[in-house]
Amino acid sequence: MNENLFASFITPTMMGLPIVILIIALPAMLYPSPNRLVDNRLISIQQWLVQLILKQMLLIHNVKGRTWSLMLISLILFIGSTNLLGLIPYSFTPTTQLSMNLGMAIPLWAGTVITGFRYKTKSSLAHFLPQGTPTLLIPMLVVIETISLFIQPMALAVRLTANITAGHLLMRLIGGATLALTAISPATASITFIVLLLLTILEFAVALIQAYVFTLLVSLYLHDNT
Amino acid sequence: MLSRVVLSAAATAAASLKNAAVLGPGVLQATRIFHTGQPSLAPVPPLPEYGGKVRFGLIPEEFFQFLYPKTGVTGPYMLGTGLILYFLSKEIYVITAETITTISTIGLLIYGIKKYGASVGKFADKLNEEKIAKLEEVKQASIKNIQDAIDFEKAQQALVEKRHYLFDVQRNNIAMALEVTYRERLHRVYKEVKNRLDYHISVQNMMRRKEQEHMINWVEKNVMKSISTQQEKETIAKCIEELKLLAKKAQAQPVM
């Protein structure tokens, strides 16, 4: 219990050099690019997956929104692979750092909002006031809608950070509990171990889901604004 | 001064090169040829069909082969066990909460891979096969189209050989039609000419008849005119005398 539970979330540096940059660049190396008509299994599966995700995600967008397709696909692949790689024991997950998530969320959100204001000014401003509100409530509602708009990037970043960090932390805690319980009563330890197994399954799911949610929300903001 | 000479010489020499724009900073490299070789990706080397063999999913077979001459079959296993126990006993590897999570995560992964690995591989193979099958189908359809076109062309060529029959028949037809028309016209000409000649003949006949009749009438009229009254009486009396004679003869005859 004296041990620092957050030790694994420190940005890794080796002798003062930030190797976190290498860690962030690692997932890109796991996606080989197709070179020929019939590739190996890895590339074929990745191509199929990317096609599936792309078709699903870009159905709702018009031509202007589809210019963002590369961005959105890179986003979901990056977040998904970074989260999954973070489940490897003793590894570092970049998405646990709020700084990086803010760095992803704010520019994307700001991009959608600025696109909306630039090309559909009236309709973007109209989003501040939902339809059918009584006249007395209008000023208050405008303020509330503005706040909710500016909360969006914060929510995106904090959601991703909190979910992944909480998951990792929980796994570490329950692992520690199992370790401590093996000395006291192995039966309880095995129950705790089963809980840990279930949690690990959840973590795998959460890793993918969080990526999906992030990208989906960005795409939704985009849809509103194009 | 000399550098300017070099530059101009290099410029003329490099006018045929593809990258003459880089001459300014890199005069020394002006003779380097860019992008004249084969593109490095083609022809693509063939993919190996199976990956390298590994034991425990991690350690390649070559390692075991490498240690075999010195330590035999159990060598690498002894090495691995010894290393693990050394790390554990010397607390170089500390058993922490992370160890338990490691066990659960890696255990889950291995279970998942063992259970679904083959089917995922088969799925990937199926994707590739479908892609190739689609292209193959396009190729086959194209080949079939071209083959059909060739066969059709050959049939047309065979027909062309027999075209002269058609032309002969048509020629005969036309010759017959011409012959028929000629004869028909000949016959018509003949008929027309005969018509005209008949007309002239009938005109002549008619004229002669008319003249004959006219002459007869004239003769009769003149004879009538010439026969005077007295002659008429004499003639009639002679006729009556002859008739009486004849009557007598006639009476006498039947009695015989």
Side-chain angles (χ1 to χ4, degrees):
Chain A
M1 276 302 285
N2 296 330
E3 162 206 355
N4 184 8
L5 286 170
F6 292 96
S8 61
F9 297 121
I10 304 173
T11 338
T13 56
M14 186 185 280
M15 301 191 289
L17 290 170
I19 55 174
V20 63
I21 297 180
L22 295 174
I23 297 175
I24 294 178
L26 176 69
M29 291 192 248
L30 300 174
Y31 292 99
S33 57
N35 267 341
R36 47 183 90 206
L37 181 62
V38 176
D39 292 291
N40 53 17
R41 287 172 173 180
L42 183 65
I43 296 181
S44 310
I45 293 181
Q46 281 168 359
Q47 270 184 321
W48 167 78
L49 211 62
V50 167
Q51 256 186 342
L52 195 70
I53 299 172
L54 205 57
K55 257 199 278 199
Q56 186 58 37
M57 234 185 348
L58 293 176
L59 275 177
I60 54 173
H61 290 125
N62 54 6
V63 178
K64 191 151 185 57
R66 287 198 188 141
T67 54
W68 279 59
S69 55
L70 183 62
M71 187 69 228
L72 292 173
I73 270 284
S74 323
L75 195 63
I76 191 172
L77 284 179
F78 174 67
I79 299 181
S81 52
T82 325
N83 290 347
L84 283 172
L85 281 173
L87 288 169
I88 297 173
Y90 300 106
S91 63
F92 169 73
T93 324
T95 40
T96 53
Q97 309 298 312
L98 186 63
S99 49
M100 188 180 107
N101 291 347
L102 274 174
M104 279 196 298
I106 292 186
L108 288 172
W109 164 85
T112 61
V113 164
I114 291 176
T115 319
F117 272 124
R118 202 171 146 200
Y119 293 110
K120 293 172 36 165
T121 318
K122 260 191 274 186
S123 145
S124 288
L125 285 173
H127 278 132
F128 283 131
L129 193 62
Q131 273 185 326
T133 59
T135 323
L136 280 176
L137 287 174
I138 288 182
M140 201 176 66
L141 217 53
V142 170
V143 173
I144 291 178
E145 286 288 326
T146 317
I147 295 177
S148 97
L149 179 75
F150 281 98
I151 271 268
Q152 278 176 352
M154 302 295 150
L156 272 176
V158 172
R159 183 187 301 114
L160 186 57
T161 316
N163 266 302
I164 307 295
T165 316
H168 284 322
L169 212 54
L170 213 55
M171 280 211 300
R172 203 145 295 135
L173 282 171
I174 296 187
T178 320
L179 191 59
L181 280 173
T182 32
I184 303 172
S185 101
T188 332
S190 52
I191 294 176
T192 328
F193 188 70
I194 291 174
V195 175
L196 184 60
L197 279 176
L198 294 172
L199 194 65
T200 317
I201 297 175
L202 180 66
E203 281 311 307
F204 275 104
V206 164
L208 297 168
I209 289 170
Q210 283 306 314
Y212 174 64
V213 164
F214 196 100
T215 317
L216 192 66
L217 281 171
V218 171
S219 127
L220 221 57
Y221 298 150
L222 185 66
H223 180 66
D224 278 342
N225 284 321
T226 47
Chain B
M1 188 60 192
L2 265 176
S3 65
R4 234 174 269 155
V5 170
V6 170
L7 264 174
S8 64
T12 48
S16 58
L17 294 178
K18 292 189 185 172
N19 257 3
V22 251
L23 270 185
V27 173
L28 276 176
Q29 301 191 6
T31 49
R32 241 175 76 183
I33 315 282
F34 295 100
H35 296 306
T36 52
Q38 294 280 9
S40 58
L41 285 179
V44 191
L47 282 174
E49 204 170 329
Y50 298 106
K53 291 187 108 14
V54 282
R55 271 194 228 192
F56 295 118
L58 275 177
I59 309 162
E61 273 292 325
E62 283 81 9
F63 183 66
F64 291 83
Q65 298 306 318
F66 175 66
L67 288 181
Y68 181 76
K70 290 282 192 256
T71 56
V73 177
T74 51
Y77 295 107
M78 290 305 298
L79 181 63
T81 319
L83 266 176
I84 292 174
L85 288 175
Y86 167 66
F87 285 138
L88 280 174
S89 69
K90 283 273 199 162
E91 293 259 320
I92 298 175
Y93 175 71
V94 184
I95 296 191
T96 61
E98 200 82 31
T99 317
I100 312 290
T101 52
T102 312
I103 296 173
S104 81
T105 312
I106 304 288
L108 261 173
L109 275 174
I110 292 179
Y111 172 71
I113 290 175
K114 280 248 181 303
K115 189 148 180 235
Y116 300 113
S119 56
V120 168
K122 264 207 293 278
F123 177 70
D125 288 340
K126 196 162 68 79
L127 283 174
N128 281 342
E129 266 165 37
E130 274 170 13
K131 205 201 287 193
I132 293 184
K134 257 197 286 211
L135 295 172
E136 186 76 30
E137 190 188 311
V138 167
K139 184 175 98 165
Q140 288 301 332
S142 169
I143 288 179
K144 184 166 148 353
N145 266 348
I146 294 177
Q147 191 64 37
D148 286 345
I150 291 176
D151 291 339
F152 183 67
E153 185 63 32
K154 284 224 168 64
Q156 295 292 81
Q157 276 175 355
L159 281 178
V160 164
E161 297 297 310
K162 310 209 175 42
R163 237 180 5 175
H164 65 90
Y165 287 132
L166 187 67
F167 294 156
D168 283 345
V169 164
Q170 280 177 338
R171 221 175 288 137
N172 286 345
N173 273 356
I174 290 173
M176 274 202 294
L178 282 173
E179 188 74 27
V180 162
T181 327
Y182 173 68
R183 289 200 186 163
E184 207 178 343
R185 285 184 190 166
L186 203 60
H187 181 69
R188 221 169 66 190
V189 161
Y190 167 76
K191 260 201 341 214
E192 289 285 316
V193 166
K194 192 155 102 67
N195 227 4
R196 292 204 172 90
L197 291 177
D198 281 345
Y199 169 73
H200 285 297
I201 292 173
S202 54
V203 157
Q204 270 182 0
N205 284 350
M206 194 197 66
M207 286 302 289
R208 199 174 300 152
R209 208 175 54 220
K210 281 279 181 237
E211 283 169 2
Q212 262 185 345
E213 280 178 9
H214 184 258
M215 220 177 335
I216 291 174
N217 284 345
W218 184 81
V219 163
E220 277 184 7
K221 214 162 54 179
N222 279 356
V223 163
M224 289 291 189
K225 253 201 295 200
S226 76
I227 300 179
S228 61
T229 338
Q230 199 215 330
Q231 258 183 332
E232 212 177 323
K233 273 189 202 158
E234 279 178 14
T235 325
I236 288 176
K238 216 167 70 177
C239 285
I240 291 172
E241 297 283 332
E242 279 180 7
L243 272 173
K244 278 184 190 161
L245 270 172
L246 273 173
K248 273 186 199 165
K249 253 195 225 171
Q251 274 176 354
Q253 287 248 288
V255 175
M256 275 175 68

